Amino acid sequence: MIPLHDDNPTSIKPIVTIVFIVVCCLVYYWESTLGTHLQLAMYQLGVVPSILLGTQSLPAELDGIPAWMTMFTSMFMHGGLMHLLGNMLYLWIFGNNIEDCMGHVRFVLFYLLCGIAAVFAQVIPNPESTIPMVGASGAISGVLGAYLLLYPHARVLVMIPFGIMSRTIRVSALYVLAMWFGIQLVSSIGSDSSQGGVAFGAHIGGFIAGMVLIPYFRDKRFALHYPWGRR
């Protein structure tokens, strides 16, 4: 199930969302020019759990910026074109409404905090890992968590592939995001993130962070819709 568009208008231009998308695309273009030096950039600018936690250090030839700064630089790097396109699609569809409900400045802070929470959700269970982690997935997961509590009944146009055929239908955001989170949760159970691959822990951590932070970042004009009844 691939989301294509949501029927949820905004009142402000999503400047920050657009800037994040443009920066991620420009960084990916830069990555594509690195050739054999790409792996070096991943170690220098991606989050390496054991380096971030200080249990190991990079060789001198790989050492770049301070380890704490990689929590931010890693959010704008991606491991492949499909990784980039998938993340930017979700950010474009859902990010504009979250920016709308809190304003540009608070949205920047919210996005970065969700990304940091996602990093630690991935790093803490794998403190000895030497595999770099990159991608905007964790921060975008926070956007999805916030959207779930703000607009669970918004209609989302999704494409459902059936082999070489596909069809589009409109379903509630609650269904789309609950299914997305369920897939991350189930996938995380059978994965070994210490060996690389998709950082499901970061997705889950970012999503939960978004749900926790949104009550403090939203403009009070925007009501929350908790599944357990609180507002």
Side-chain angles (χ1 to χ4, degrees):
M1 185 169 62
I2 304 170
L4 302 175
H5 181 264
D6 68 334
D7 300 328
N8 196 2
T10 60
S11 59
I12 64 172
K13 189 177 180 69
I15 297 172
V16 175
T17 299
I18 293 170
V19 168
F20 282 154
I21 291 173
V22 170
V23 171
C24 285
C25 290
L26 290 175
V27 170
Y28 184 75
Y29 173 75
W30 170 72
E31 290 178 46
S32 70
T33 68
L34 295 179
T36 57
H37 297 290
L38 177 58
Q39 187 174 23
L40 172 64
M42 291 291 180
Y43 275 96
Q44 289 180 325
L45 301 175
V47 171
V48 180
S50 59
I51 304 302
L52 180 64
L53 296 180
T55 59
Q56 298 187 50
S57 58
L58 287 171
E61 64 273 16
L62 293 180
D63 198 13
I65 62 175
W68 66 267
M69 289 185 63
T70 63
M71 291 191 293
F72 301 101
T73 56
S74 65
M75 293 184 204
F76 299 95
M77 301 183 71
H78 288 84
L81 182 59
M82 295 308 297
H83 187 202
L84 172 72
L85 293 179
N87 277 345
M88 296 306 99
L89 175 64
Y90 272 84
L91 180 55
W92 175 248
I93 294 172
F94 300 106
N96 61 338
N97 292 107
I98 303 308
E99 184 175 352
D100 185 57
C101 88
M102 61 180 63
H104 307 306
V105 175
R106 277 183 289 178
F107 181 61
V108 172
L109 182 57
F110 172 83
Y111 186 90
L112 295 177
L113 285 175
C114 288
I116 292 171
V119 165
F120 281 104
Q122 184 69 23
V123 165
I124 290 175
N126 305 285
E128 301 301 321
S129 175
T130 58
I131 299 173
M133 179 177 69
V134 297
S137 306
I140 295 170
S141 297
V143 170
L144 302 186
Y147 196 102
L148 177 63
L149 293 188
L150 284 166
Y151 309 108
H153 305 300
R155 306 300 288 179
V156 180
L157 179 68
V158 300
M159 180 175 67
I160 303 177
F162 293 101
I164 61 173
M165 306 288 291
S166 64
R167 64 169 297 187
T168 57
I169 60 172
R170 278 182 165 79
V171 297
S172 71
L174 174 62
Y175 180 78
V176 175
L177 298 177
M179 176 173 285
W180 180 90
F181 184 77
I183 291 173
Q184 309 310 308
L185 196 60
V186 171
S187 299
S188 70
I189 295 173
S191 68
D192 183 359
S193 54
S194 65
Q195 301 302 313
V198 179
F200 294 111
H203 297 179
I204 295 169
F207 192 91
I208 293 173
M211 296 179 71
V212 170
L213 291 173
I214 189 58
Y216 307 101
F217 280 82
R218 67 183 172 95
D219 187 291
K220 301 308 179 186
R221 295 179 294 113
F222 294 84
L224 295 174
H225 303 272
Y226 291 100
W228 48 90
R230 291 175 52 228
R231 292 179 68 88

